[in-house]
Amino acid sequence: MHNAFGTIVAIGIVASGFLLTGDLGWCVRQVSGLFHRTDGPPPAEVAASAGPSSSATADSPTPLAPPAPPPQVSDAKEPAAAPRRPLPRPSGKGVDQVDLAQLALGQRVVIWTGATGREPLGHVLELLDATSGEALLLRRTADGDGPARRVLVAAGSPAGAVVGSRLSRRGTLLATPIGLAHGTTASVETLGPIVALTVE
């Protein structure tokens, strides 16, 4: 009992001293804070440790993606078109005359036509019927033979008149297209003058 009384007296003396110095309110606040303190950090520390606000994040500029590299431009030029090959000229003089009526079926006559000083044109004639003069006529180029046409052929003079079935140099070849596409009013095509004849 004596000890408890002494403790109360000591506490009263200390409290009187705090009261006189004005620190009693501070002591009360500290003791009250000890009872009400939670385990979490103080609000100031929470605010300091929090990241930037969502509004600040929304207002901050988004970094732009790096610009795409310019397209690569190739310095290689497109290959130039292959030059046209000249049509091979007839080798030698060939023959002076070819009688179409004496040709066997399937034989081909290569006829070179053109005016003097010009590049000659090549024609290939394949006889189908020696009696009627029906044949296939096609153009010969440096790249090969072109599409065939069904025609009736005859030998012509330099003036274009029909002279029979015997083709000769300096004469002409008369070709009349036949078939359903041409009907009966097809015009006669004159090829000449003939500069060379060969039989294949």
Side-chain angles (χ1 to χ4, degrees), residues 98 100 109-113 122-127 133 135-138 149 151-158 160-168 170-176 188-194 197:
V98 173
L100 299 177
V109 181
V110 182
I111 306 165
W112 301 87
T113 63
H123 311 272
V124 179
L125 182 67
E126 183 175 345
L127 196 64
L136 296 178
L137 181 64
L138 48 97
R149 298 181 295 148
V151 294
L152 293 176
V153 294
S157 65
V162 178
V163 295
S165 61
R166 193 183 300 271
L167 296 175
S168 61
R170 294 179 297 277
T172 60
L173 171 68
L174 307 179
T176 305
V188 178
E189 182 179 0
T190 302
L191 305 175
I194 298 174
L197 291 165

Side-chain angles (χ1 to χ4, degrees), residues 126-142:
E126 183 175 345
L127 196 64
L128 300 178
D129 188 344
T131 303
S132 64
E134 184 177 350
L136 296 178
L137 181 64
L138 48 97
R139 284 288 304 275
R140 171 158 291 183
T141 66

Side-chain angles (χ1 to χ4, degrees), residues 97-118:
Q97 292 183 341
V98 173
D99 191 347
L100 299 177
Q102 301 299 322
L103 292 178
L105 295 181
Q107 278 190 301
R108 292 155 60 99
V109 181
V110 182
I111 306 165
W112 301 87
T113 63
T116 304
R118 293 187 178 181

